[in-house]
Amino acid sequence: MQSPSVKIGRDEHVWSFDAGRQPVVTVDPGTIIEIETWDCFTGQVQSEEDTLEKLDLTRVNSATGPIAVRGAEPGDTLSVTLLDIRPNEKGAAMCIPEWGQLIDTVHSPTTRIFKVVDGVVSMNDHVSFPARPMFGVIGVSPESGDVSTFFADRHGGNMDDHVNGIGATIHLPVFQSGAQLAIGDMHAAMGDGEISGTGVEIGGVGVIRVDVIKEKHGGWPITETADAFYTHGTSVGDLDEALQHACEEASKLLVDEWGFTREDAFMFLSVAGDLGIAQYCHPSPGSVIARMRVPKLASSPHPFRQ
């Protein structure tokens, strides 16, 4: 892997995606960037005594950036490839009052410290599992206004999808000149739904490459892996609405880029696609995030190439 030409420390961070914010750095398309990120608690959780009620909740979910990319303009796509994600050796997960489907059955608040060494996450002396590092927050400045890094929408944001891991490329619609990319909320591992409200929250270093695709973009963020595209849809709290957005974006991809009829797209997604939930920690004040997996076809063109 080519060495990063730009490095950005975790102290260059934001708490929201702001249509009017100025970048901390401006880079050319194709630039490889090393970014350091805080854990979602901004270093406040160091032991199992650090439970939620002891934290400053204004210091949650920071994102490193923003990074402007020359030539990115509204109507374009900013493609962000996650070349590497290197978590630190200590992370945390929580049970949070009033958050998640099982909260009425457990003691709350509770914090657990996890160790991450050589690609293995250890919950305790008996429970270990492979790390699956990913970024929860990845997005660009919205079309207007100021959106907290706690929420997700068409600009990305707190997408909380574990497919946004090493090797994935996230294709983000651009709404402002330069796009103004920011990334944070690293997890050493996180399951679909993130039902307690946290993954293994951890700081670390990511290596990314940024590219611009001119005059083409999706309506929502689309993640590309080696064998599939994942379309996303979000809602403030309505799961059906989020699922509908993800399905509509997948259908649009098939119709606009691969020449499907709407009827064939509908049936193909039913027989070959996979509709799922990335984030559904409810009840909670966060976003609901759905995704549709669209398998790549050898006979179909790549939608995010010039």
Side-chain angles (χ1 to χ4, degrees):
M1 183 176 65
Q2 183 180 344
S3 298
S5 58
V6 175
K7 295 184 179 182
I8 305 174
R10 65 187 184 182
D11 289 340
E12 298 286 0
H13 63 264
V14 295
W15 308 104
S16 67
F17 293 92
D18 186 342
R21 181 171 283 119
Q22 296 300 305
V24 299
V25 65
T26 300
V27 302
D28 292 321
T31 298
I32 294 176
I33 307 166
E34 180 180 282
I35 57 169
E36 181 186 27
T37 66
W38 285 104
D39 62 273
C40 81
F41 306 116
T42 323
Q44 297 182 83
V45 177
Q46 296 298 317
S47 77
E48 295 186 349
E49 300 302 314
D50 297 321
T51 51
L52 187 80
E53 78 279 10
K54 299 177 182 179
L55 306 185
D56 178 355
L57 298 183
T58 67
R59 298 172 57 206
V60 172
N61 257 28
S62 67
T64 300
I67 302 163
V69 182
R70 291 186 182 91
E73 297 293 340
D76 296 340
T77 290
L78 180 70
S79 296
V80 183
T81 300
L82 305 177
L83 300 174
D84 198 11
I85 303 173
R86 302 192 292 267
N88 295 335
E89 292 191 351
K90 184 171 73 172
M94 286 185 174
C95 295
I96 300 171
E98 300 181 10
W99 283 32
Q101 289 82 352
L102 302 179
I103 196 62
D104 292 338
T105 71
V106 303
H107 174 70
S108 176
T110 305
T111 296
R112 290 285 180 263
I113 299 297
F114 290 69
K115 295 180 181 179
V116 184
V117 179
D118 296 331
V120 176
V121 180
S122 297
M123 185 173 186
N124 53 44
D125 292 340
H126 308 289
V127 178
S128 298
F129 49 91
R132 186 168 58 177
M134 48 79 71
F135 283 111
V137 173
I138 178 167
V140 297
S141 289
E143 189 169 8
S144 62
D146 186 2
V147 182
S148 167
T149 53
F150 187 72
F151 294 100
D153 207 325
R154 293 179 182 272
H155 69 290
N158 192 21
M159 295 170 64
D160 272 339
D161 190 345
H162 74 75
V163 300
N164 292 337
I166 297 171
T169 298
I170 298 87
H171 301 289
L172 296 158
V174 176
F175 299 103
Q176 301 294 333
S177 293
Q180 317 301 341
L181 170 72
I183 297 178
D185 189 29
M186 184 188 292
H187 303 97
M190 192 199 83
D192 281 342
E194 197 188 29
I195 65 170
S196 83
T198 63
V200 179
E201 309 293 336
I202 200 163
V205 172
V207 180
I208 67 171
R209 185 182 68 242
V210 292
D211 295 287
V212 175
I213 299 163
K214 297 298 294 180
E215 299 179 355
K216 181 181 285 191
H217 66 90
W220 296 84
I222 298 174
T223 297
E224 178 183 357
T225 63
D227 61 358
F229 295 98
Y230 294 84
T231 60
H232 291 90
T234 79
S235 172
V236 173
D238 187 332
L239 179 58
D240 283 345
E241 181 180 35
L243 292 166
Q244 183 73 22
H245 288 319
C247 290
E248 289 173 349
E249 187 69 11
S251 176
K252 184 175 185 296
L253 179 71
L254 293 173
V255 171
D256 292 353
E257 301 294 336
W258 293 357
F260 278 57
T261 65
R262 293 188 183 279
E263 292 78 12
D264 283 345
F266 192 6
M267 288 185 285
F268 177 77
L269 292 172
S270 184
V271 301
D274 293 298
L275 182 60
I277 299 168
Q279 166 62 267
Y280 192 53
C281 172
H282 274 256
S284 88
S287 300
V288 175
I289 299 101
R291 65 164 178 261
M292 170 64 85
R293 180 183 183 275
V294 183
K296 289 183 175 178
L297 302 177
S299 60
S300 300
H302 191 294
F304 289 104
R305 291 182 185 148
Q306 298 291 174

